[in-house]
Amino acid sequence: MRAVLRHLPRGRTALAVALATGTVLSGAALLATSGALVTNASLRPESLLVLLPLITSVRAFGLSRAALRYVERLVSHDVTLRLVARLRTDLLLGLVPLSPAALTGVRGGELLARLHADDDALQDVLLRLLAPAAVAVLAGSAAVVLAAAVHPGLGAVPAALLLLLGVVVPAWADRAGAPAARAVAAAEEARGADVLDLVRGLADHVGGDGGATALAAADARLREQEAAERAAARVAAVATLLREGVPALGLVAAFVLVGGGVAAGETSPLLLAAAALGVLGSFEAVAGLGAAWPLAGGARAAGRRVEALAATPPAVVDPEGPGPRPAGHDVAPVDVGVTYPGASSPALAHLDLVVRAGEKVALVGPSGAGKSTVLALLLRARDPSAGRVLLGGADLRRLPLDEVRAASAWVPQEPQVPGASLAGNLRMGDPAADDGRLRAVLADVGLADRAADLGLDGWVGEAGSRLSAGERARLGLARALLRPAPLLLVDEPTAHLDRAAGAAVVSMLAREPRTVVMVTHDATLLDERWRVVVLRPPGTPPGIP
Ligand SMILES: Nc1ncnc2c1ncn2[C@@H]1O[C@H](COP(=O)(O)OP(=O)(O)OP(=O)(O)O)[C@@H](O)[C@H]1O
């Protein structure tokens, strides 16, 4: 919520509220003057001149209501669009430093559903919460004062009924509907995550039991959501009934209170019609509060979640002041230890390693020995729990993060291949690379034929599904090769390749002029150009590989 208030342009917001209040009052005045006009016309049909002021008023209020509503919509939507743009930018910019390490363990679908829902809830705050609340107070107060001016007792009627309709009914509906609303939100979130997981793993599901289990689970989820929505709809139906019924009470009260005076000949009949219809029209002041009440809870919760995401500490942060410039590109973990959050034992302990600029180092060792963790440290995707990682003698934590990231190109075990073109995927490595350069690097990683087949502008499929796992791995490698970084960090580049293709890739990496640190399980592909560093899980007795 604070995030919304911070981004709201105050002047335009006040203008939107003033215009909305004017619209409601114009509407009530239109009804009141119409009532007076009809009554007057029926009492004195012969005199058009007497009716002229009322006719003019009806026209004026009719036009002003429409004009005010139009301008109010323009202003309030303009404010909302500005708000959305600022909120979304903030949210996405906040996510960037959390990736990759601080988002480990977050379900992608849940994050997406939450961001989407929270974003929607927050963008409605002005249109459906703040503006309706302000209009209810301003227009409602004006209506009460005007009704009291017509008849002292009449002021109390809209006051009580507006409170009933604007506060009591929505508060009851919100309270009664809260469990169902929470269940709907939870079911939506879970369904979003399930569907994303289902789509991502469709091939595995189909290959298993033909997708039957996954579809049954999705069906159960949908039924849960349907039950929650039914419960919410029942409460909404009662609230709607009350919303429609309460204004009728105002009409009856006006007839009784002002009608008594008319019957006694103390009050003009014009005033009866004007007061009755004016009171009816004044209920528009609280029309927006029905939706505002539940939104208030939802927006507060959404605001808290967005702020919690914004407050999630990134795994690595930029240093306050720049440290000494690195002298060269030697990289060296010094007495480094890493213990992952929640882990009972360290993934790395007392690691010392110096990789000289231009050197080719192969990290080998059993699964879980911490090889990928070393690459994450060199890339500064995370910081060591103990010790330091040096680049050119400077602690990575003292260097600007951009500079550290610019020093290295990284190929993860399973590179992400967005569903773009081949060229689009490659240019993530170097946006300025021309087609010739792209073709050359594709040839380097053994993808020349596939590229000729697909075309540089060919679509690689959703998450690279038109490529084989080995081709996706090589595309990831090609992308990293395009990055003009002095340090190349490569995680298992041969995992999905046959022996000949793997040997070609390892040989190509050995010819690279820059420093290469490569994780591999296949030490038989290494020749004398590689320095082999064997990692063992901490606590492994010497001699056990
Ligand atoms: N994000 C994480 N959170 C918690 N533990 C993790 C995380 N990433 C890795 N680990 C654990 O740290 C240890 C080292 O993992 P790492 O991926 O570095 O090993 P590896 O040698 O590269 O393994 P492999 O050869 O199987 O890829 C493992 O026990 C792993 O379970």
Side-chain angles (χ1 to χ4, degrees), residues 161-175:
L161 293 182
L162 284 171
L163 272 180
L164 181 65
L165 203 57
V167 179
V168 180
V169 171
W172 166 81
D174 183 39
R175 204 182 161 86

Side-chain angles (χ1 to χ4, degrees), residues 104 340 347 366-373 382 413 492 521:
T104 315
Y340 282 103
S367 181
K371 304 180 295 293
S372 301
T373 304
R382 57 176 70 250
Q413 267 186 41
E492 300 280 8
H521 272 115

Side-chain angles (χ1 to χ4, degrees), residues 93-259:
L93 286 179
L95 271 184
V96 173
L98 299 185
S99 176
L103 288 178
T104 315
V106 180
R107 275 183 95 187
E110 245 165 48
L111 186 65
L112 183 68
R114 182 176 291 183
L115 281 179
H116 187 64
D118 290 351
D119 187 44
D120 276 357
L122 292 178
Q123 64 176 286
D124 278 345
V125 161
L126 172 70
L127 281 183
R128 293 177 56 198
L129 179 64
L130 297 181
V135 170
V137 172
L138 295 174
S141 310
V144 168
V145 170
L146 286 172
V150 172
H151 185 289
L154 193 59
V157 175
L161 293 182
L162 284 171
L163 272 180
L164 181 65
L165 203 57
V167 179
V168 180
V169 171
W172 166 81
D174 183 39
R175 204 182 161 86
R182 274 198 298 275
V184 170
E188 267 175 8
E189 202 170 279
R191 185 177 49 82
D194 282 358
V195 168
L196 196 66
D197 288 349
L198 178 67
V199 171
R200 278 180 181 158
L202 207 51
D204 300 275
H205 287 300
V206 172
D209 61 0
T213 311
L215 285 177
D219 194 38
R221 208 53 108 180
L222 283 174
R223 265 183 276 120
E224 266 172 37
Q225 187 173 349
E226 192 184 315
E229 280 170 356
R230 272 182 199 283
R234 275 194 289 275
V235 176
V238 178
T240 306
L241 193 70
L242 290 169
R243 266 201 296 278
E244 300 298 326
V246 168
L249 295 177
L251 197 67
V252 172
F255 278 133
V256 171
L257 291 172
V258 186

Side-chain angles (χ1 to χ4, degrees), residues 100-101 104-105 338-343 345-348 363-376 382 413 491-492 519-521 535 537-538:
T104 315
V338 171
T339 304
Y340 282 103
S345 55
L348 282 175
L363 295 179
V364 300
S367 181
K371 304 180 295 293
S372 301
T373 304
V374 173
L375 296 194
R382 57 176 70 250
Q413 267 186 41
D491 205 342
E492 300 280 8
V519 169
T520 183
H521 272 115
L535 288 186

Side-chain angles (χ1 to χ4, degrees), residues 137-507:
V137 172
L138 295 174
S141 310
V144 168
V145 170
L146 286 172
V150 172
H151 185 289
L154 193 59
V157 175
L161 293 182
L162 284 171
L163 272 180
L164 181 65
L165 203 57
V167 179
V168 180
V169 171
W172 166 81
D174 183 39
R175 204 182 161 86
R182 274 198 298 275
V184 170
E188 267 175 8
E189 202 170 279
R191 185 177 49 82
D194 282 358
V195 168
L196 196 66
D197 288 349
L198 178 67
V199 171
R200 278 180 181 158
L202 207 51
D204 300 275
H205 287 300
V206 172
D209 61 0
T213 311
L215 285 177
D219 194 38
R221 208 53 108 180
L222 283 174
R223 265 183 276 120
E224 266 172 37
Q225 187 173 349
E226 192 184 315
E229 280 170 356
R230 272 182 199 283
R234 275 194 289 275
V235 176
V238 178
T240 306
L241 193 70
L242 290 169
R243 266 201 296 278
E244 300 298 326
V246 168
L249 295 177
L251 197 67
V252 172
F255 278 133
V256 171
L257 291 172
V258 186
V262 175
E266 296 159 5
T267 311
S268 156
L270 264 66
L271 214 51
L272 173 63
L277 291 179
V279 166
L280 198 62
S282 70
F283 286 102
E284 205 193 326
V286 293
L289 286 184
W293 211 270
L295 189 79
R300 263 203 308 275
R304 273 198 296 272
R305 282 195 297 264
V306 166
E307 273 154 26
L309 197 63
T312 305
V316 293
V317 287
D318 252 321
E320 295 277 320
R325 308 281 310 168
H329 289 108
D330 290 1
V331 278
V334 181
D335 196 20
V336 154
V338 171
T339 304
Y340 282 103
S344 53
S345 55
L348 282 175
H350 304 295
L351 174 73
D352 283 301
L353 175 66
V354 178
V355 181
R356 302 270 172 228
E359 214 181 348
K360 312 290 171 277
V361 169
L363 295 179
V364 300
S367 181
K371 304 180 295 293
S372 301
T373 304
V374 173
L375 296 194
L377 291 174
L378 300 183
L379 184 67
R380 207 178 165 219
R382 57 176 70 250
D383 284 331
S385 323
R388 295 174 303 150
V389 180
L390 306 180
L391 171 67
D395 191 325
L396 287 188
R397 283 172 294 203
R398 301 287 313 282
L399 296 173
L401 205 45
D402 282 352
E403 215 169 282
V404 175
R405 298 276 161 86
S408 40
W410 173 55
V411 193
Q413 267 186 41
E414 306 274 345
Q416 289 288 320
V417 178
S421 65
L422 201 53
N425 265 282
L426 287 169
R427 290 203 173 100
M428 285 165 68
D430 179 4
D434 61 20
D435 286 0
R437 174 99 178 88
L438 300 190
R439 287 205 179 83
V441 82
L442 284 167
D444 283 348
V445 298
L447 279 182
D449 291 348
R450 189 70 182 95
D453 199 23
L454 197 66
L456 275 183
D457 293 324
W459 188 50
V460 297
E462 179 66 26
S465 59
R466 295 181 74 199
L467 304 177
S468 72
E471 286 166 350
R472 282 197 293 274
R474 281 186 274 183
L475 179 57
L477 180 58
R479 191 156 66 196
L481 288 171
L482 281 163
R483 261 176 74 79
L487 177 61
L488 193 55
L489 306 171
V490 194
D491 205 342
E492 300 280 8
T494 59
H496 298 287
L497 304 184
D498 61 40
R499 194 160 174 78
V505 162
V506 171
S507 181

Side-chain angles (χ1 to χ4, degrees), residues 360 444 494 500-512 518 525-527 529-530:
K360 312 290 171 277
D444 283 348
T494 59
V505 162
V506 171
S507 181
M508 181 272 295
L509 287 172
R511 289 194 303 274
E512 270 290 307
M518 174 178 72
L525 293 175
L526 305 172
D527 57 24
R529 291 173 291 184
W530 293 92

